[in-house]
Amino acid sequence: MTEMEQLLPHRAPFLFVDRLENVSEEGVVGYRKYTMDDFFFKGHFPEYPVVPGVLLVEAMAQCGGAGLKKLRNEEGLFFLASIEKAKFRRQVVPGDEVRMEIVNERISGMMIKQKGKAFVGDEMAAEASWMCIMKTPGSN
């Protein structure tokens, strides 16, 4: 089992973080390399494959969750509750490695508020803020 599979409940083809670095209380930096093997490129768009923006936001949220899990060994699952201020500035295409820089804005009990930016090289591809609710085993 990979480190990401230990930190996140997601599995292929819906695991969008390859590795983490710089995990701290302030935030986390993580990476994802996109390849033509990613399932969504077959339909988005076959003649001009690009990563759907919503999946870039999902990748950032996964990165933030994995960082918290690694830092705090949290039990339970994180579910997106809201997404705000999402902006897409550059297309991400097969072969691009995305660096995700996530900031922890607020962590309290069962709620996590984070924001992040996704970069290809020095170019920002996407940014957003989101809130997750944590569900522990046995809770509804």
Side-chain angles (χ1 to χ4, degrees):
M1 185 177 284
T2 68
E3 179 184 30
M4 289 305 98
E5 290 173 333
Q6 291 172 352
L7 295 173
L8 293 170
H10 305 79
R11 295 294 178 264
F14 219 78
L15 178 60
F16 299 128
V17 183
D18 295 333
R19 61 188 167 89
L20 301 179
E21 66 180 36
N22 300 332
V23 177
S24 72
E25 285 290 331
E26 290 75 39
V28 62
V29 175
Y31 294 86
R32 173 65 151 92
K33 173 94 176 194
Y34 290 93
T35 72
M36 276 306 293
D37 293 335
D38 286 305
F39 73 94
F40 44 82
F41 287 133
K42 292 179 182 83
H44 194 267
F45 303 100
E47 298 299 317
Y48 187 81
V50 297
V51 177
V54 68
L55 294 185
L56 290 174
V57 175
E58 172 68 23
M60 289 189 288
Q62 286 185 20
C63 184
L68 284 175
K69 179 91 180 207
K70 183 172 185 168
L71 187 66
R72 296 177 168 214
N73 200 24
E74 297 280 354
E75 290 296 320
L77 301 172
F78 299 103
F79 292 94
L80 276 170
S82 70
I83 298 170
E84 298 175 333
K85 302 177 185 171
K87 295 180 181 158
F88 307 99
R89 307 198 179 276
R90 178 201 191 276
Q91 295 173 347
V92 177
V93 299
D96 284 345
E97 182 174 57
V98 174
R99 181 181 76 257
M100 297 168 280
E101 298 179 359
I102 311 306
V103 174
N104 296 323
E105 292 188 309
R106 190 172 64 214
I107 304 167
S108 61
M110 305 299 264
M111 192 274 303
I112 297 129
K113 180 122 174 83
Q114 296 175 312
K115 65 181 178 181
K117 295 179 180 178
F119 295 88
V120 176
D122 291 331
E123 281 186 83
M124 189 186 317
E127 62 182 317
S129 60
W130 58 90
M131 186 174 64
C132 289
I133 302 298
M134 188 173 71
K135 296 286 187 179
T136 56
S139 69
N140 290 331

